[in-house]
Amino acid sequence: MLLKLITGLFFLNLFLSCHSTGKKNETLVTPPAEIFQPPLSQSCYSYVLKGDTIILNLTRKGDAVTGTLLYHLNGKDRNTGTLKGLMKDDILLANYSFMSEGIRSVRQVAFKFKDQSAVEGFKEGGLGDTTAYISDINAVNFNNSMTLTACQ
């Protein structure tokens, strides 16, 4: 009987020590850099005034940015397409692939972000020209009067 009691106490002690709630020595494991992916950031900006509409939807993962862009400017053909580019500091430089009057075109666009707004940049000689590529971001003028604001 005493042997059963001692054996029972031994196993009870062993059980309790294995399931103690005391502090354990745990090591935080950080995944390798190639596995870690930064969270996606999504945003929307729009401009609607006097028959002009611009809508910019972006998804950002690190410095890489993809999205959609729609232009419907009064007196001009409507065009809509996709963006793919890079964010550097507060400036997005991207290729805009779009359809207009049944023709697919690609041109470079630049947007500068500040607070809750985005302003499209223009280069002397026309950033809208499909052959005009930006080699120096300092040559881009961000004084456009059509300021896109964050969508509500």
Side-chain angles (χ1 to χ4, degrees):
M1 173 89 162
L2 185 58
L3 184 58
K4 288 183 182 180
L5 182 64
I6 292 174
T7 306
L9 288 174
F10 173 78
F11 284 112
L12 179 62
N13 189 25
L14 183 63
F15 176 78
L16 291 175
S17 67
C18 289
H19 295 295
S20 76
T21 59
K23 189 174 182 179
K24 295 179 182 177
N25 186 9
E26 295 180 5
T27 304
L28 180 63
V29 178
T30 305
E34 62 271 2
I35 294 175
F36 178 74
Q37 296 295 324
L40 291 177
S41 172
Q42 297 182 331
S43 54
C44 170
Y45 297 88
S46 65
Y47 173 86
V48 180
L49 186 66
K50 299 179 185 174
D52 292 333
T53 301
I54 302 171
I55 300 173
L56 175 64
N57 287 298
L58 301 174
T59 300
R60 182 175 177 181
K61 189 173 187 179
D63 290 338
V65 178
T66 58
T68 59
L69 180 58
L70 169 125
Y71 289 101
H72 191 201
L73 303 176
N74 194 17
K76 296 194 177 192
D77 295 324
R78 174 186 166 145
N79 62 66
T80 184
T82 58
L83 288 172
K84 187 173 184 180
L86 293 174
M87 195 77 172
K88 183 168 181 178
D89 298 323
D90 59 348
I91 296 176
L92 168 64
L93 188 57
N95 288 329
Y96 173 49
S97 176
F98 62 98
M99 292 291 289
S100 180
E101 294 184 349
I103 299 172
R104 174 150 311 277
S105 299
V106 178
R107 70 176 176 94
Q108 205 169 35
V109 293
F111 286 91
K112 186 171 189 171
F113 297 87
K114 185 175 181 182
D115 301 323
Q116 294 293 309
S117 65
V119 176
E120 186 171 7
F122 293 93
K123 182 178 165 189
E124 195 66 39
L127 194 70
D129 181 359
T130 56
T131 60
Y133 287 94
I134 299 171
S135 57
D136 180 12
I137 197 66
N138 294 319
V140 178
N141 180 349
F142 291 100
N143 294 327
N144 186 352
S145 62
M146 291 189 276
T147 300
L148 288 71
T149 56
C151 299
Q152 300 297 329

